[in-house]
Structures are given as structure tokens and as C-alpha cells.
Amino acid sequence: MSGDDLSRRLGIEPDAVWSQVGALQKQGYEIVLRPDLGYRLVGVPDRLLPAEIRYRLETSLVGCRVVVYEETSSTMDVAHRLARAGEPAGTCVLAESQRAGRGRIGRQWHSPKGEGICLSVILRPALPPHAAPQLTLLSAVATAAAIRTETGVPAQVKWPNDIVVHRKKVCGILTEMQADAGTLRYLIVGIGINVNTPSDRLPSGATSLLVERGEAISRIDLCRRLLLSLDERYATFSAHGFQTIAQEWEMFSSTLGGHVRVEVPGRLLEGQAVAIDGDGALLVRKDQGIVERVVAGDVIRVR
Ligand code: BTN
């Protein structure tokens, strides 16, 4: 498009077009100028820029506000701070890298710069605190669905909070909440996806979408798809409850039907994973036929 056309359409001086193009180029946009033809956009950087994420993003809640950090301690910390300050439900915090990314039970989450998606979403569901695990499973289903649609990689959900591909972890989900006097004030869902990390930089037992698909993935496209997927499922959940989410979770599950070993506080439980219940707990049938309800723990599929 010619500089004159751009200046008319944007309602700015021709000189300002030039300086705005320069600013975009600094952000990594590849724009070439041919004096006879005008400006041409050749490439968009694979950076999680708020304007790219929000561009024509048709969600009703998730992504209403998007905050992106080049680097932060953990997007969970930022999201907690914003939620305490009254930031609305649906606000998303992303980071290109985290100095102290965290996982469940005090584990670290490795977040190499520009290779993955590190996202925390503020939610304010009208739920009792004990129902919060439903949101972990909802987020897992939404993430697996987004990965499948956007990349074609056959992602599965592994109870309670992992996404796996061929039994290797590609994504972890961490849910933290603030509750007092039995009331849930807000909840933060943290999602970490290994997107473009090459195999030699992955911890053992982990994989990335790059490794599984054999080519780099646009993090912007995946991130937009993820926000849409979360938004749709959160709307369904708010209107109709957990039932449809649970059904979808069962469809994507790598856990159900298998013989599992679960580390529950103080002991090891073994049996067949048969279902999840209305609160998102895993039901394990032991060899004697007794069904135990597991609300938290690490699951290993034995066969
Ligand atoms: C796990 O596997 O135990 C959960 C990992 C969750 C990682 C994500 S990355 C975005 C958000 N910020 C964090 O510090 N953790 C979560």
C-alpha cells in the first residue's frame, strides 16, 4: 500500500507513516518499501504482542484484557496481584520468559525465552472452593482441543493437570485460588505449553509441539485459539455446569481405562482408572472391586 493511502486511511501525516513503520520494524515486523509501489508487509514476528493476540479475537470474557511481559518472575504472581487489585475475570497475563515459573507441589516450570506459551488467566466463578478442580479439568480440555485444532497433534489429557502427546508431557496446568470464609474470591489458571522448544532442550519425559509436528508452530495463532477455546468452554460451564466438560475430558483422556498407580498422601494406590466424578476427582477401582476417590496426586499409567 502506498504511503499516501496509508496516511489517508490512518488519518496521519505521511511523515508519521514512515516513523510508525520504523516502530513496527523495531518490534520485528518485516516491512519493505518499494518507492514505486509502497509498503509491503512481508513477515509478522512470532512474539506474543497484545495487539496480535487481541486482533479480531471474538471472545466474550477470556482475553478481555491481555498483559504481556518480556520477562517476569511468574505470570501467576502478576495475575494474583492484578486479581487482588480488582482486575476483571478473563484478564490474561503472558510472559515471553519466567525467572521462577512454578508447577504443582513446588516444582519448577522451565520457561525458555520465546519458545513456549506461559499464560495465567483470572477467573471469578461462582463456585465453592472444593469445586475449583473442575476448572483445572476445563482448562486441560480447552488446551488439548486448541492444540489439536491448531496443530493436528493428538494431545490427550492426563489427570489431573497435564497434557500429553504419546505419553510425554507437552503442557502443565496449575490452578491457584484465593478463598476466605468458604467463599472463592478468584481463581488463577496457569497454563504452560512447550511449543517451539527443540528436543535437546527439553527435560526428560517432556515433548514439544515442534518435536511432535516436525515444524515450528505460530505461538500467536495457538494462543488466540487457546483463548477462544477457554472462552467457549467457560461459557458452557457457567451456563450448564461441569457435565459437558467431563464428557469431553473423558474423550480426550489418556488416563481412563488404564491400570494406574497413584501416589496419595502416605500411600500408593493401584487399580483401574474408571471415571472422573462431578467434582473432577479420579475414581480408581482396586483389584478387590472397591472404588476409591482421588482428589489430588500423581498418576502413573502402568498398563
Ligand atoms: C505443572 O505441570 O505442575 C504445572 C505447570 C504450570 C506452568 C504455568 S506457565 C504459566 C504459569 N506461570 C507459572 O509460574 N506456572 C504456570
Side-chain angles (χ1 to χ4, degrees):
M1 190 177 284
S2 75
D4 284 348
D5 282 346
L6 277 170
S7 103
R8 252 194 314 277
R9 285 181 61 156
L10 298 172
I12 57 177
E13 294 296 318
D15 279 358
V17 171
W18 174 245
S19 67
Q20 291 297 332
V21 165
L24 287 170
Q25 284 169 329
K26 274 209 191 92
Q27 288 188 32
Y29 287 87
E30 286 174 60
I31 300 167
V32 291
L33 172 62
R34 279 262 304 271
D36 47 335
L37 294 172
Y39 294 98
R40 181 156 159 251
L41 176 65
V42 182
V44 174
D46 189 34
R47 287 182 59 202
L48 299 172
L49 300 164
E52 292 288 349
I53 294 171
R54 285 191 39 80
Y55 180 66
R56 293 189 182 157
L57 182 71
E58 281 168 9
T59 55
S60 51
L61 186 90
V62 177
C64 59
R65 193 170 167 228
V66 175
V67 186
V68 183
Y69 286 76
E70 265 309 291
E71 190 190 276
T72 184
S73 56
S74 157
T75 54
M76 300 304 278
D77 297 340
V78 180
H80 276 288
R81 211 164 49 234
L82 293 177
R84 278 197 300 271
E87 203 65 40
T91 298
C92 292
V93 181
L94 288 133
E96 290 286 5
S97 79
Q98 302 182 112
R99 289 185 302 276
R102 59 177 178 265
R104 266 189 333 126
I105 33 184
R107 291 183 187 140
Q108 271 188 354
W109 181 261
H110 187 52
S111 329
K113 190 175 174 60
E115 290 181 358
I117 291 180
C118 299
L119 164 72
S120 292
V121 186
I122 300 175
L123 296 173
R124 299 182 184 275
L127 285 179
H130 72 82
Q134 295 177 351
L135 271 306
T136 306
L137 300 195
L138 180 152
S139 306
V141 166
T143 308
I147 290 175
R148 283 169 175 242
T149 316
E150 197 56 41
T151 69
V153 169
Q156 290 188 295
V157 294
K158 175 173 177 274
W159 192 90
N161 70 331
D162 291 346
I163 309 287
V164 295
V165 181
H166 305 126
R167 299 212 183 171
K168 288 188 161 185
K169 179 161 172 169
V170 75
C171 162
I173 295 170
L174 175 69
T175 308
E176 294 177 346
M177 62 177 151
Q178 179 68 46
D180 35 56
T183 306
L184 207 165
R185 297 272 168 236
Y186 66 80
L187 186 134
I188 312 283
V189 176
I191 301 174
I193 312 178
N194 301 327
V195 184
N196 289 327
T197 308
S199 55
D200 57 346
R201 282 214 294 277
L202 286 163
S204 81
T207 188
S208 71
L209 296 175
L210 165 75
V211 169
E212 297 302 325
R213 201 170 88 163
E215 61 181 328
I217 311 285
S218 156
R219 290 181 310 140
I220 289 282
D221 291 348
L222 180 59
C223 185
R224 287 167 52 85
R225 177 77 64 183
L226 175 58
L227 301 193
L228 263 172
S229 179
L230 281 166
D231 191 68
E232 275 169 24
R233 283 161 182 89
Y234 191 67
T236 307
F237 173 78
S238 305
H240 307 292
F242 186 58
Q243 195 51 38
T244 33
I245 303 298
Q247 280 164 2
E248 213 183 354
W249 191 90
E250 290 184 359
M251 247 165 51
F252 287 157
S253 167
S254 71
T255 312
L256 295 187
H259 195 88
V260 294
R261 199 172 289 149
V262 195
E263 241 181 82
V264 290
R267 72 202 163 92
L268 214 56
L269 169 72
E270 216 174 300
Q272 195 190 12
V274 285
I276 49 166
D277 73 6
D279 275 342
L282 183 69
L283 304 181
V284 177
R285 192 192 302 122
K286 297 195 288 189
D287 291 344
Q288 309 86 323
I290 298 165
V291 175
E292 274 209 40
R293 186 172 177 272
V294 186
V295 285
D298 273 335
V299 174
I300 299 164
R301 188 167 168 159
V302 190
R303 51 182 192 269

